[in-house]
Amino acid sequence: MKKTGAGRMEKANSQDMDWMLQVMLRMYGRDGNAAEKRAGEDRVFHGPGFCMELIEGFQEIEKDAAGSAFLSEYRPKKLFASPGRHAGFSLQTLHTEEIPERENMEELREKLRHILMRSDRKTVFYEEGRASGDIPVLWFDYKSFAADERVYNLMFFFRAGADLILGTFYCMFQDYDRWKPEVLRTLWTVREEPEDENP
């Protein structure tokens, strides 16, 4: 994604996150249900079977605005952005019926990395890790390229019931050292929440 003069994100092309989401959605299906935040809990997002804290100041972007960042109909179900929209989170719920029981989370991480490498050979991978909170969250970070911009991405995923939650944090590459510690702290807040407790 590329930042324009107004601080907005340009439409993604086939080598961006949009393309990878299309691949993953074809593999595992998609969940059309949208979970919402509870009133008075601005920093807590309640999803299907889980909840997590958001970074302070991040707000959900409406569907019309999200379309300016993701070109296809497969844009993430939830997109949150910082003030000025120079950084953001995306969340997508994927069905996991087609994922073999024997395929563990580490294997899924390698599959995601392979998909990203196929989309753009210039992708540079950095670290990987695991946030072992109430729900284990696996993550890895990498640098991607959109036009003349370098973009920092931290992809994460975890299981919530029968679903796989796929998320990505993105920002301009020069800002990654400011945001990365905050993102990792957020991953430790992911916890189980029965769907009947959602509003």
Side-chain angles (χ1 to χ4, degrees), residues 77-111:
K77 277 294 179 181
K78 291 293 177 181
L79 188 62
F80 305 89
S82 65
R85 299 186 181 178
H86 297 158
F89 270 106
S90 69
L91 289 173
Q92 181 72 54
T93 303
L94 307 176
H95 295 303
T96 58
E97 289 87 349
E98 298 181 23
I99 301 177
E101 286 293 328
R102 66 180 181 275
E103 186 171 48
N104 59 35
M105 299 290 274
E106 286 76 15
E107 291 171 337
L108 286 174
R109 176 162 53 193
E110 288 307 307
K111 184 175 292 185

PDB file of all heavy atoms in Angstrom, residues 77-111:
ATOM      1  N   LYS A  77     -12.673  -8.056   6.556  1.00  0.00           N
ATOM      2  CA  LYS A  77     -13.952  -7.735   7.172  1.00  0.00           C
ATOM      3  C   LYS A  77     -13.829  -6.569   8.141  1.00  0.00           C
ATOM      4  O   LYS A  77     -14.767  -5.808   8.336  1.00  0.00           O
ATOM      5  CB  LYS A  77     -14.506  -8.959   7.897  1.00  0.00           C
ATOM      6  CG  LYS A  77     -15.239  -9.931   6.991  1.00  0.00           C
ATOM      7  CD  LYS A  77     -16.496  -9.279   6.453  1.00  0.00           C
ATOM      8  CE  LYS A  77     -17.229 -10.240   5.525  1.00  0.00           C
ATOM      9  NZ  LYS A  77     -18.440  -9.616   4.963  1.00  0.00           N
ATOM     10  N   LYS A  78     -12.670  -6.452   8.798  1.00  0.00           N
ATOM     11  CA  LYS A  78     -12.466  -5.370   9.742  1.00  0.00           C
ATOM     12  C   LYS A  78     -11.137  -4.694   9.462  1.00  0.00           C
ATOM     13  O   LYS A  78     -10.117  -5.357   9.263  1.00  0.00           O
ATOM     14  CB  LYS A  78     -12.480  -5.899  11.181  1.00  0.00           C
ATOM     15  CG  LYS A  78     -13.844  -6.380  11.644  1.00  0.00           C
ATOM     16  CD  LYS A  78     -14.831  -5.220  11.755  1.00  0.00           C
ATOM     17  CE  LYS A  78     -16.200  -5.722  12.153  1.00  0.00           C
ATOM     18  NZ  LYS A  78     -17.176  -4.601  12.247  1.00  0.00           N
ATOM     19  N   LEU A  79     -11.153  -3.372   9.453  1.00  0.00           N
ATOM     20  CA  LEU A  79      -9.942  -2.597   9.218  1.00  0.00           C
ATOM     21  C   LEU A  79      -9.929  -1.446  10.214  1.00  0.00           C
ATOM     22  O   LEU A  79     -10.901  -0.691  10.317  1.00  0.00           O
ATOM     23  CB  LEU A  79      -9.916  -2.068   7.785  1.00  0.00           C
ATOM     24  CG  LEU A  79      -8.633  -1.398   7.313  1.00  0.00           C
ATOM     25  CD1 LEU A  79      -7.464  -2.382   7.337  1.00  0.00           C
ATOM     26  CD2 LEU A  79      -8.810  -0.855   5.888  1.00  0.00           C
ATOM     27  N   PHE A  80      -8.852  -1.347  10.980  1.00  0.00           N
ATOM     28  CA  PHE A  80      -8.698  -0.297  11.982  1.00  0.00           C
ATOM     29  C   PHE A  80      -7.470   0.535  11.621  1.00  0.00           C
ATOM     30  O   PHE A  80      -6.458  -0.005  11.189  1.00  0.00           O
ATOM     31  CB  PHE A  80      -8.514  -0.899  13.375  1.00  0.00           C
ATOM     32  CG  PHE A  80      -9.603  -1.850  13.768  1.00  0.00           C
ATOM     33  CD1 PHE A  80      -9.507  -3.198  13.456  1.00  0.00           C
ATOM     34  CD2 PHE A  80     -10.721  -1.407  14.454  1.00  0.00           C
ATOM     35  CE1 PHE A  80     -10.509  -4.086  13.814  1.00  0.00           C
ATOM     36  CE2 PHE A  80     -11.736  -2.286  14.813  1.00  0.00           C
ATOM     37  CZ  PHE A  80     -11.628  -3.634  14.494  1.00  0.00           C
ATOM     38  N   ALA A  81      -7.569   1.833  11.824  1.00  0.00           N
ATOM     39  CA  ALA A  81      -6.459   2.703  11.435  1.00  0.00           C
ATOM     40  C   ALA A  81      -6.141   3.705  12.538  1.00  0.00           C
ATOM     41  O   ALA A  81      -6.992   4.076  13.343  1.00  0.00           O
ATOM     42  CB  ALA A  81      -6.785   3.439  10.138  1.00  0.00           C
ATOM     43  N   SER A  82      -4.883   4.134  12.532  1.00  0.00           N
ATOM     44  CA  SER A  82      -4.437   5.158  13.465  1.00  0.00           C
ATOM     45  C   SER A  82      -4.921   6.522  12.994  1.00  0.00           C
ATOM     46  O   SER A  82      -5.322   6.690  11.834  1.00  0.00           O
ATOM     47  CB  SER A  82      -2.906   5.154  13.529  1.00  0.00           C
ATOM     48  OG  SER A  82      -2.368   5.529  12.264  1.00  0.00           O
ATOM     49  N   PRO A  83      -4.882   7.521  13.861  1.00  0.00           N
ATOM     50  CA  PRO A  83      -5.194   8.873  13.402  1.00  0.00           C
ATOM     51  C   PRO A  83      -4.273   9.252  12.240  1.00  0.00           C
ATOM     52  O   PRO A  83      -3.070   9.058  12.301  1.00  0.00           O
ATOM     53  CB  PRO A  83      -4.918   9.734  14.646  1.00  0.00           C
ATOM     54  CG  PRO A  83      -5.110   8.794  15.793  1.00  0.00           C
ATOM     55  CD  PRO A  83      -4.604   7.469  15.308  1.00  0.00           C
ATOM     56  N   GLY A  84      -4.830   9.739  11.166  1.00  0.00           N
ATOM     57  CA  GLY A  84      -4.058  10.044   9.975  1.00  0.00           C
ATOM     58  C   GLY A  84      -3.920   8.868   9.036  1.00  0.00           C
ATOM     59  O   GLY A  84      -3.467   9.011   7.908  1.00  0.00           O
ATOM     60  N   ARG A  85      -4.315   7.682   9.503  1.00  0.00           N
ATOM     61  CA  ARG A  85      -4.298   6.467   8.690  1.00  0.00           C
ATOM     62  C   ARG A  85      -2.925   6.131   8.127  1.00  0.00           C
ATOM     63  O   ARG A  85      -2.790   5.626   7.017  1.00  0.00           O
ATOM     64  CB  ARG A  85      -5.334   6.559   7.555  1.00  0.00           C
ATOM     65  CG  ARG A  85      -6.745   6.703   8.064  1.00  0.00           C
ATOM     66  CD  ARG A  85      -7.777   6.638   6.957  1.00  0.00           C
ATOM     67  NE  ARG A  85      -9.126   6.816   7.503  1.00  0.00           N
ATOM     68  CZ  ARG A  85     -10.221   6.837   6.777  1.00  0.00           C
ATOM     69  NH1 ARG A  85     -10.147   6.696   5.466  1.00  0.00           N
ATOM     70  NH2 ARG A  85     -11.397   6.996   7.347  1.00  0.00           N
ATOM     71  N   HIS A  86      -1.882   6.393   8.910  1.00  0.00           N
ATOM     72  CA  HIS A  86      -0.536   6.017   8.488  1.00  0.00           C
ATOM     73  C   HIS A  86      -0.172   4.615   8.938  1.00  0.00           C
ATOM     74  O   HIS A  86       0.879   4.096   8.551  1.00  0.00           O
ATOM     75  CB  HIS A  86       0.486   7.012   9.056  1.00  0.00           C
ATOM     76  CG  HIS A  86       0.290   8.403   8.546  1.00  0.00           C
ATOM     77  ND1 HIS A  86       0.763   9.504   9.219  1.00  0.00           N
ATOM     78  CD2 HIS A  86      -0.334   8.867   7.440  1.00  0.00           C
ATOM     79  CE1 HIS A  86       0.435  10.601   8.540  1.00  0.00           C
ATOM     80  NE2 HIS A  86      -0.228  10.239   7.464  1.00  0.00           N
ATOM     81  N   ALA A  87      -1.034   3.995   9.763  1.00  0.00           N
ATOM     82  CA  ALA A  87      -0.824   2.631  10.228  1.00  0.00           C
ATOM     83  C   ALA A  87      -2.193   2.005  10.432  1.00  0.00           C
ATOM     84  O   ALA A  87      -3.185   2.709  10.658  1.00  0.00           O
ATOM     85  CB  ALA A  87      -0.025   2.608  11.534  1.00  0.00           C
ATOM     86  N   GLY A  88      -2.252   0.676  10.341  1.00  0.00           N
ATOM     87  CA  GLY A  88      -3.553   0.034  10.493  1.00  0.00           C
ATOM     88  C   GLY A  88      -3.465  -1.448  10.797  1.00  0.00           C
ATOM     89  O   GLY A  88      -2.412  -2.080  10.644  1.00  0.00           O
ATOM     90  N   PHE A  89      -4.588  -1.980  11.240  1.00  0.00           N
ATOM     91  CA  PHE A  89      -4.791  -3.399  11.466  1.00  0.00           C
ATOM     92  C   PHE A  89      -5.872  -3.892  10.515  1.00  0.00           C
ATOM     93  O   PHE A  89      -6.865  -3.206  10.296  1.00  0.00           O
ATOM     94  CB  PHE A  89      -5.331  -3.653  12.886  1.00  0.00           C
ATOM     95  CG  PHE A  89      -4.300  -3.865  13.930  1.00  0.00           C
ATOM     96  CD1 PHE A  89      -4.024  -2.868  14.852  1.00  0.00           C
ATOM     97  CD2 PHE A  89      -3.634  -5.073  14.047  1.00  0.00           C
ATOM     98  CE1 PHE A  89      -3.103  -3.061  15.855  1.00  0.00           C
ATOM     99  CE2 PHE A  89      -2.699  -5.277  15.034  1.00  0.00           C
ATOM    100  CZ  PHE A  89      -2.429  -4.274  15.950  1.00  0.00           C
ATOM    101  N   SER A  90      -5.701  -5.082   9.971  1.00  0.00           N
ATOM    102  CA  SER A  90      -6.794  -5.744   9.268  1.00  0.00           C
ATOM    103  C   SER A  90      -7.066  -7.075   9.960  1.00  0.00           C
ATOM    104  O   SER A  90      -6.156  -7.718  10.479  1.00  0.00           O
ATOM    105  CB  SER A  90      -6.452  -5.982   7.792  1.00  0.00           C
ATOM    106  OG  SER A  90      -5.424  -6.959   7.667  1.00  0.00           O
ATOM    107  N   LEU A  91      -8.334  -7.492   9.987  1.00  0.00           N
ATOM    108  CA  LEU A  91      -8.740  -8.767  10.559  1.00  0.00           C
ATOM    109  C   LEU A  91      -9.693  -9.460   9.610  1.00  0.00           C
ATOM    110  O   LEU A  91     -10.607  -8.829   9.064  1.00  0.00           O
ATOM    111  CB  LEU A  91      -9.426  -8.566  11.913  1.00  0.00           C
ATOM    112  CG  LEU A  91      -8.562  -8.133  13.095  1.00  0.00           C
ATOM    113  CD1 LEU A  91      -9.445  -7.815  14.292  1.00  0.00           C
ATOM    114  CD2 LEU A  91      -7.560  -9.223  13.451  1.00  0.00           C
ATOM    115  N   GLN A  92      -9.484 -10.742   9.412  1.00  0.00           N
ATOM    116  CA  GLN A  92     -10.333 -11.536   8.526  1.00  0.00           C
ATOM    117  C   GLN A  92     -10.582 -12.889   9.173  1.00  0.00           C
ATOM    118  O   GLN A  92      -9.651 -13.512   9.698  1.00  0.00           O
ATOM    119  CB  GLN A  92      -9.656 -11.742   7.167  1.00  0.00           C
ATOM    120  CG  GLN A  92     -10.474 -12.540   6.170  1.00  0.00           C
ATOM    121  CD  GLN A  92     -11.648 -11.719   5.643  1.00  0.00           C
ATOM    122  OE1 GLN A  92     -11.465 -10.606   5.141  1.00  0.00           O
ATOM    123  NE2 GLN A  92     -12.837 -12.268   5.746  1.00  0.00           N
ATOM    124  N   THR A  93     -11.832 -13.337   9.172  1.00  0.00           N
ATOM    125  CA  THR A  93     -12.181 -14.641   9.721  1.00  0.00           C
ATOM    126  C   THR A  93     -12.258 -15.659   8.587  1.00  0.00           C
ATOM    127  O   THR A  93     -12.973 -15.452   7.614  1.00  0.00           O
ATOM    128  CB  THR A  93     -13.537 -14.586  10.446  1.00  0.00           C
ATOM    129  OG1 THR A  93     -13.488 -13.587  11.461  1.00  0.00           O
ATOM    130  CG2 THR A  93     -13.872 -15.930  11.077  1.00  0.00           C
ATOM    131  N   LEU A  94     -11.510 -16.735   8.724  1.00  0.00           N
ATOM    132  CA  LEU A  94     -11.475 -17.788   7.711  1.00  0.00           C
ATOM    133  C   LEU A  94     -11.978 -19.092   8.312  1.00  0.00           C
ATOM    134  O   LEU A  94     -11.612 -19.452   9.425  1.00  0.00           O
ATOM    135  CB  LEU A  94     -10.045 -17.986   7.192  1.00  0.00           C
ATOM    136  CG  LEU A  94      -9.321 -16.745   6.681  1.00  0.00           C
ATOM    137  CD1 LEU A  94      -7.897 -17.094   6.304  1.00  0.00           C
ATOM    138  CD2 LEU A  94     -10.058 -16.148   5.495  1.00  0.00           C
ATOM    139  N   HIS A  95     -12.828 -19.801   7.562  1.00  0.00           N
ATOM    140  CA  HIS A  95     -13.278 -21.111   8.009  1.00  0.00           C
ATOM    141  C   HIS A  95     -12.130 -22.102   7.877  1.00  0.00           C
ATOM    142  O   HIS A  95     -11.315 -22.009   6.961  1.00  0.00           O
ATOM    143  CB  HIS A  95     -14.468 -21.586   7.181  1.00  0.00           C
ATOM    144  CG  HIS A  95     -15.681 -20.729   7.356  1.00  0.00           C
ATOM    145  ND1 HIS A  95     -16.250 -20.510   8.580  1.00  0.00           N
ATOM    146  CD2 HIS A  95     -16.425 -20.027   6.461  1.00  0.00           C
ATOM    147  CE1 HIS A  95     -17.312 -19.719   8.434  1.00  0.00           C
ATOM    148  NE2 HIS A  95     -17.427 -19.413   7.166  1.00  0.00           N
ATOM    149  N   THR A  96     -12.081 -23.070   8.756  1.00  0.00           N
ATOM    150  CA  THR A  96     -10.946 -23.996   8.770  1.00  0.00           C
ATOM    151  C   THR A  96     -11.346 -25.440   8.523  1.00  0.00           C
ATOM    152  O   THR A  96     -10.576 -26.350   8.792  1.00  0.00           O
ATOM    153  CB  THR A  96     -10.209 -23.920  10.119  1.00  0.00           C
ATOM    154  OG1 THR A  96     -11.140 -24.227  11.177  1.00  0.00           O
ATOM    155  CG2 THR A  96      -9.621 -22.543  10.359  1.00  0.00           C
ATOM    156  N   GLU A  97     -12.543 -25.670   7.990  1.00  0.00           N
ATOM    157  CA  GLU A  97     -12.967 -27.046   7.771  1.00  0.00           C
ATOM    158  C   GLU A  97     -12.022 -27.803   6.842  1.00  0.00           C
ATOM    159  O   GLU A  97     -11.849 -29.019   6.967  1.00  0.00           O
ATOM    160  CB  GLU A  97     -14.382 -27.090   7.173  1.00  0.00           C
ATOM    161  CG  GLU A  97     -15.475 -26.693   8.151  1.00  0.00           C
ATOM    162  CD  GLU A  97     -15.714 -25.197   8.170  1.00  0.00           C
ATOM    163  OE1 GLU A  97     -14.890 -24.454   7.578  1.00  0.00           O
ATOM    164  OE2 GLU A  97     -16.715 -24.771   8.780  1.00  0.00           O
ATOM    165  N   GLU A  98     -11.390 -27.078   5.904  1.00  0.00           N
ATOM    166  CA  GLU A  98     -10.538 -27.740   4.924  1.00  0.00           C
ATOM    167  C   GLU A  98      -9.095 -27.860   5.374  1.00  0.00           C
ATOM    168  O   GLU A  98      -8.264 -28.420   4.672  1.00  0.00           O
ATOM    169  CB  GLU A  98     -10.596 -26.984   3.591  1.00  0.00           C
ATOM    170  CG  GLU A  98     -11.989 -26.952   2.980  1.00  0.00           C
ATOM    171  CD  GLU A  98     -11.999 -26.212   1.653  1.00  0.00           C
ATOM    172  OE1 GLU A  98     -10.932 -26.122   1.024  1.00  0.00           O
ATOM    173  OE2 GLU A  98     -13.066 -25.733   1.246  1.00  0.00           O
ATOM    174  N   ILE A  99      -8.769 -27.338   6.553  1.00  0.00           N
ATOM    175  CA  ILE A  99      -7.405 -27.445   7.059  1.00  0.00           C
ATOM    176  C   ILE A  99      -7.246 -28.786   7.754  1.00  0.00           C
ATOM    177  O   ILE A  99      -7.987 -29.096   8.683  1.00  0.00           O
ATOM    178  CB  ILE A  99      -7.086 -26.311   8.056  1.00  0.00           C
ATOM    179  CG1 ILE A  99      -7.250 -24.941   7.381  1.00  0.00           C
ATOM    180  CG2 ILE A  99      -5.672 -26.464   8.603  1.00  0.00           C
ATOM    181  CD1 ILE A  99      -7.021 -23.792   8.307  1.00  0.00           C
ATOM    182  N   PRO A 100      -6.334 -29.622   7.313  1.00  0.00           N
ATOM    183  CA  PRO A 100      -6.160 -30.932   7.952  1.00  0.00           C
ATOM    184  C   PRO A 100      -5.830 -30.784   9.426  1.00  0.00           C
ATOM    185  O   PRO A 100      -5.133 -29.862   9.842  1.00  0.00           O
ATOM    186  CB  PRO A 100      -4.975 -31.546   7.177  1.00  0.00           C
ATOM    187  CG  PRO A 100      -4.919 -30.788   5.889  1.00  0.00           C
ATOM    188  CD  PRO A 100      -5.401 -29.396   6.209  1.00  0.00           C
ATOM    189  N   GLU A 101      -6.361 -31.692  10.240  1.00  0.00           N
ATOM    190  CA  GLU A 101      -6.096 -31.660  11.674  1.00  0.00           C
ATOM    191  C   GLU A 101      -4.603 -31.742  11.974  1.00  0.00           C
ATOM    192  O   GLU A 101      -4.105 -31.185  12.930  1.00  0.00           O
ATOM    193  CB  GLU A 101      -6.838 -32.817  12.356  1.00  0.00           C
ATOM    194  CG  GLU A 101      -8.341 -32.614  12.463  1.00  0.00           C
ATOM    195  CD  GLU A 101      -8.708 -31.469  13.393  1.00  0.00           C
ATOM    196  OE1 GLU A 101      -7.959 -31.243  14.364  1.00  0.00           O
ATOM    197  OE2 GLU A 101      -9.731 -30.816  13.143  1.00  0.00           O
ATOM    198  N   ARG A 102      -3.884 -32.461  11.105  1.00  0.00           N
ATOM    199  CA  ARG A 102      -2.452 -32.654  11.362  1.00  0.00           C
ATOM    200  C   ARG A 102      -1.631 -31.415  11.038  1.00  0.00           C
ATOM    201  O   ARG A 102      -0.464 -31.348  11.394  1.00  0.00           O
ATOM    202  CB  ARG A 102      -1.939 -33.833  10.532  1.00  0.00           C
ATOM    203  CG  ARG A 102      -1.974 -33.595   9.034  1.00  0.00           C
ATOM    204  CD  ARG A 102      -1.456 -34.792   8.254  1.00  0.00           C
ATOM    205  NE  ARG A 102      -1.466 -34.559   6.824  1.00  0.00           N
ATOM    206  CZ  ARG A 102      -2.510 -34.742   6.044  1.00  0.00           C
ATOM    207  NH1 ARG A 102      -3.662 -35.160   6.575  1.00  0.00           N
ATOM    208  NH2 ARG A 102      -2.453 -34.518   4.744  1.00  0.00           N
ATOM    209  N   GLU A 103      -2.229 -30.460  10.337  1.00  0.00           N
ATOM    210  CA  GLU A 103      -1.489 -29.250   9.969  1.00  0.00           C
ATOM    211  C   GLU A 103      -1.469 -28.303  11.162  1.00  0.00           C
ATOM    212  O   GLU A 103      -2.498 -27.732  11.530  1.00  0.00           O
ATOM    213  CB  GLU A 103      -2.124 -28.574   8.758  1.00  0.00           C
ATOM    214  CG  GLU A 103      -1.312 -27.391   8.250  1.00  0.00           C
ATOM    215  CD  GLU A 103      -1.848 -26.865   6.926  1.00  0.00           C
ATOM    216  OE1 GLU A 103      -3.061 -26.657   6.812  1.00  0.00           O
ATOM    217  OE2 GLU A 103      -1.030 -26.664   6.017  1.00  0.00           O
ATOM    218  N   ASN A 104      -0.321 -28.141  11.789  1.00  0.00           N
ATOM    219  CA  ASN A 104      -0.250 -27.291  12.962  1.00  0.00           C
ATOM    220  C   ASN A 104      -0.028 -25.838  12.571  1.00  0.00           C
ATOM    221  O   ASN A 104       0.104 -25.488  11.398  1.00  0.00           O
ATOM    222  CB  ASN A 104       0.837 -27.794  13.920  1.00  0.00           C
ATOM    223  CG  ASN A 104       2.208 -27.812  13.261  1.00  0.00           C
ATOM    224  OD1 ASN A 104       2.545 -26.950  12.444  1.00  0.00           O
ATOM    225  ND2 ASN A 104       3.020 -28.792  13.626  1.00  0.00           N
ATOM    226  N   MET A 105       0.027 -24.989  13.579  1.00  0.00           N
ATOM    227  CA  MET A 105       0.113 -23.560  13.325  1.00  0.00           C
ATOM    228  C   MET A 105       1.430 -23.168  12.675  1.00  0.00           C
ATOM    229  O   MET A 105       1.480 -22.244  11.868  1.00  0.00           O
ATOM    230  CB  MET A 105      -0.072 -22.805  14.640  1.00  0.00           C
ATOM    231  CG  MET A 105      -1.418 -23.036  15.305  1.00  0.00           C
ATOM    232  SD  MET A 105      -2.776 -22.275  14.396  1.00  0.00           S
ATOM    233  CE  MET A 105      -2.733 -20.616  15.061  1.00  0.00           C
ATOM    234  N   GLU A 106       2.512 -23.850  13.022  1.00  0.00           N
ATOM    235  CA  GLU A 106       3.801 -23.553  12.390  1.00  0.00           C
ATOM    236  C   GLU A 106       3.755 -23.849  10.897  1.00  0.00           C
ATOM    237  O   GLU A 106       4.323 -23.098  10.082  1.00  0.00           O
ATOM    238  CB  GLU A 106       4.911 -24.351  13.061  1.00  0.00           C
ATOM    239  CG  GLU A 106       5.322 -23.855  14.441  1.00  0.00           C
ATOM    240  CD  GLU A 106       4.311 -24.226  15.521  1.00  0.00           C
ATOM    241  OE1 GLU A 106       3.456 -25.098  15.261  1.00  0.00           O
ATOM    242  OE2 GLU A 106       4.386 -23.646  16.615  1.00  0.00           O
ATOM    243  N   GLU A 107       3.068 -24.933  10.507  1.00  0.00           N
ATOM    244  CA  GLU A 107       2.937 -25.251   9.087  1.00  0.00           C
ATOM    245  C   GLU A 107       2.107 -24.192   8.367  1.00  0.00           C
ATOM    246  O   GLU A 107       2.395 -23.833   7.219  1.00  0.00           O
ATOM    247  CB  GLU A 107       2.313 -26.634   8.924  1.00  0.00           C
ATOM    248  CG  GLU A 107       3.229 -27.773   9.358  1.00  0.00           C
ATOM    249  CD  GLU A 107       2.518 -29.110   9.391  1.00  0.00           C
ATOM    250  OE1 GLU A 107       1.268 -29.124   9.509  1.00  0.00           O
ATOM    251  OE2 GLU A 107       3.206 -30.139   9.307  1.00  0.00           O
ATOM    252  N   LEU A 108       1.076 -23.693   9.043  1.00  0.00           N
ATOM    253  CA  LEU A 108       0.273 -22.629   8.452  1.00  0.00           C
ATOM    254  C   LEU A 108       1.103 -21.363   8.263  1.00  0.00           C
ATOM    255  O   LEU A 108       0.951 -20.645   7.265  1.00  0.00           O
ATOM    256  CB  LEU A 108      -0.935 -22.329   9.335  1.00  0.00           C
ATOM    257  CG  LEU A 108      -2.074 -23.344   9.313  1.00  0.00           C
ATOM    258  CD1 LEU A 108      -3.116 -22.981  10.353  1.00  0.00           C
ATOM    259  CD2 LEU A 108      -2.698 -23.428   7.938  1.00  0.00           C
ATOM    260  N   ARG A 109       1.984 -21.080   9.227  1.00  0.00           N
ATOM    261  CA  ARG A 109       2.836 -19.900   9.097  1.00  0.00           C
ATOM    262  C   ARG A 109       3.729 -20.017   7.869  1.00  0.00           C
ATOM    263  O   ARG A 109       3.889 -19.049   7.111  1.00  0.00           O
ATOM    264  CB  ARG A 109       3.683 -19.714  10.358  1.00  0.00           C
ATOM    265  CG  ARG A 109       4.655 -18.546  10.242  1.00  0.00           C
ATOM    266  CD  ARG A 109       5.166 -18.082  11.595  1.00  0.00           C
ATOM    267  NE  ARG A 109       5.723 -19.158  12.393  1.00  0.00           N
ATOM    268  CZ  ARG A 109       6.008 -19.043  13.699  1.00  0.00           C
ATOM    269  NH1 ARG A 109       5.779 -17.910  14.327  1.00  0.00           N
ATOM    270  NH2 ARG A 109       6.524 -20.057  14.371  1.00  0.00           N
ATOM    271  N   GLU A 110       4.306 -21.190   7.643  1.00  0.00           N
ATOM    272  CA  GLU A 110       5.150 -21.386   6.471  1.00  0.00           C
ATOM    273  C   GLU A 110       4.350 -21.257   5.180  1.00  0.00           C
ATOM    274  O   GLU A 110       4.838 -20.732   4.182  1.00  0.00           O
ATOM    275  CB  GLU A 110       5.843 -22.749   6.545  1.00  0.00           C
ATOM    276  CG  GLU A 110       6.939 -22.821   7.588  1.00  0.00           C
ATOM    277  CD  GLU A 110       7.950 -21.696   7.430  1.00  0.00           C
ATOM    278  OE1 GLU A 110       8.484 -21.527   6.309  1.00  0.00           O
ATOM    279  OE2 GLU A 110       8.210 -20.967   8.411  1.00  0.00           O
ATOM    280  N   LYS A 111       3.108 -21.719   5.199  1.00  0.00           N
ATOM    281  CA  LYS A 111       2.258 -21.596   4.013  1.00  0.00           C
ATOM    282  C   LYS A 111       1.979 -20.129   3.701  1.00  0.00           C
ATOM    283  O   LYS A 111       2.009 -19.709   2.530  1.00  0.00           O
ATOM    284  CB  LYS A 111       0.952 -22.359   4.240  1.00  0.00           C
ATOM    285  CG  LYS A 111       0.028 -22.366   3.029  1.00  0.00           C
ATOM    286  CD  LYS A 111      -1.197 -23.234   3.286  1.00  0.00           C
ATOM    287  CE  LYS A 111      -0.810 -24.696   3.383  1.00  0.00           C
ATOM    288  NZ  LYS A 111      -1.998 -25.573   3.503  1.00  0.00           N
TER     289      LYS A 111
END
